[in-house]
Amino acid sequence: TLLEHTMAVTGATVGSILLPESSASEEEFQIVVSKGSVSETTQSKYLLLGKTIAQKVINERRPVLIQDMKINDGRDDKPESESQKGSFLSVPVFAREKLIAVLNLSHKETGSAFDNHDEQICTIFINEIGFALENAYLHSKVEKNLLALERQAKELTTTNDHLCQEISERRRAEKAMRDTLQTAEEIVRGIPA
């Protein structure tokens, strides 16, 4: 939804959202969603951190706007006529001050470059999404704690019921013992010396 809205507002025709993943050997990004012509040519679902603009986004913890870059689809034999100049916008997505994703946009419908206005719009959307994600996280944490409290309350109620039952049984046993002692005393008193 975030990708669709930011693409619509900025006029981007190509976009993707990357999630950072830390493997044992190196940092990678998983492409979780992509739209537009680049998504059709993307072979790998993972990108190495060092080979993306996302590296700069992560290091600087702010959006990166490139207004004029030559798009390269990986073909060395690409004819010059197919080369395009384009603009690229990459924006970090934070939740609880932790980087959770990177939004990438390119190829405006109008052919113009992304500008500071596009960057501000994306940042506002992402801040709202980050705020919503943080609220969802807190809500989830509250629900988890509530379930734990309910489970503990149920366990305490069960333990209390067992203790009440044990106390009742002990009281019945004590009463039976007192009754037995009283009967024994009456018998002893009734026996002539």
Side-chain angles (χ1 to χ4, degrees), residues 13-60:
T13 60
V14 177
S16 64
I17 294 183
L18 310 175
L19 293 181
E21 288 200 352
S22 181
S23 65
S25 61
E26 55 203 347
E27 288 276 334
E28 290 182 323
F29 279 93
Q30 179 184 11
I31 304 168
V32 291
V33 64
S34 59
K35 294 189 178 291
S37 61
V38 171
S39 66
E40 297 164 5
T41 62
T42 301
Q43 304 247 336
S44 173
K45 287 289 184 189
Y46 292 90
L47 296 174
L48 293 179
L49 179 66
K51 296 181 180 179
T52 66
I53 294 173
Q55 172 71 51
K56 188 172 180 180
V57 171
I58 290 172
N59 289 344
E60 297 180 7

Side-chain angles (χ1 to χ4, degrees), residues 1-18 33-35 38 53 64-67 69 71 86-91 102-108 112-115 117-123 125-126:
T1 302
L2 172 64
L3 182 59
E4 288 174 358
H5 286 300
T6 54
M7 286 178 71
V9 170
T10 61
T13 60
V14 177
S16 64
I17 294 183
L18 310 175
V33 64
S34 59
K35 294 189 178 291
V38 171
I53 294 173
V64 172
L65 173 61
I66 299 174
Q67 292 185 336
M69 78 181 226
I71 306 301
S87 143
F88 189 85
L89 178 59
S90 186
V91 185
V102 176
L103 168 76
N104 296 308
L105 300 173
S106 64
H107 297 84
K108 284 189 91 162
S112 62
F114 290 103
D115 57 23
H117 179 72
D118 296 316
E119 182 180 327
Q120 289 173 348
I121 288 172
C122 288
T123 301
F125 272 6
I126 288 172

Side-chain angles (χ1 to χ4, degrees), residues 158-186:
T158 302
T159 301
N160 189 45
D161 290 346
H162 287 291
L163 287 173
C164 287
Q165 185 178 0
E166 189 175 317
I167 289 169
S168 294
E169 288 173 7
R170 284 186 181 186
R171 284 183 178 160
R172 276 194 299 272
E174 287 174 6
K175 184 178 183 308
M177 188 182 296
R178 278 194 309 271
D179 290 346
T180 303
L181 285 174
Q182 186 177 5
T183 304
E185 282 179 15
E186 290 173 0

